[in-house]
Amino acid sequence: MLLGAIIANLADEASILQTLASLDDLVLLARLREAAAEASEPLGSFASAAVGSFVARADDTAWLSLMAVTSKADDPGKACLRYILGSEIPAAKPSCSCHQVHDPERT
């Protein structure tokens, strides 16, 4: 699918879940849903804004990385959207204390 068609689908709230699910990245979809909910925005609007943010702020390194990812992909449009959204959506924070480093000096 062409990137333009994929991005256009982000504006259609009826097909947004299908479009994002077609990226085959459930972790990214969950991160998008969480970030959109925190921003009190519809999922499609949030994803479209993330793409716009990448386009506006990406430096040469980000564009080169994007080109490398898409050149190796079977579906460059989906790979492009997956890369852009993955780079624009904040990584999930650990939900438990098991990820904290133990500091013997503090105990």
Side-chain angles (χ1 to χ4, degrees):
M1 184 178 278
L2 296 176
L3 178 60
I6 293 171
I7 292 173
N9 284 343
L10 297 178
D12 179 11
E13 290 296 327
S15 66
I16 184 64
L17 285 177
Q18 181 182 0
T19 300
L20 294 175
S22 74
L23 299 179
D24 298 323
D25 190 336
L26 295 177
V27 173
L28 178 59
L29 179 56
R31 287 172 49 206
L32 278 166
R33 282 180 159 174
E34 182 179 339
E38 287 178 11
S40 299
E41 290 186 37
L43 185 57
S45 298
F46 186 84
S48 292
V51 171
S53 176
F54 179 88
V55 170
R57 297 182 309 113
D59 60 9
D60 291 343
T61 304
W63 286 109
L64 185 59
S65 296
L66 176 63
M67 290 172 48
V69 166
T70 57
S71 70
K72 298 175 186 175
D74 291 334
D75 188 332
K78 287 182 181 179
C80 180
L81 185 59
R82 188 181 310 113
Y83 177 86
I84 289 172
L85 293 175
S87 66
E88 288 296 310
I89 306 304
K93 297 179 179 123
S95 60
C96 67
S97 61
C98 62
H99 295 287
Q100 294 177 352
V101 177
H102 177 66
D103 184 359
E105 299 289 322
R106 297 184 74 189
T107 54

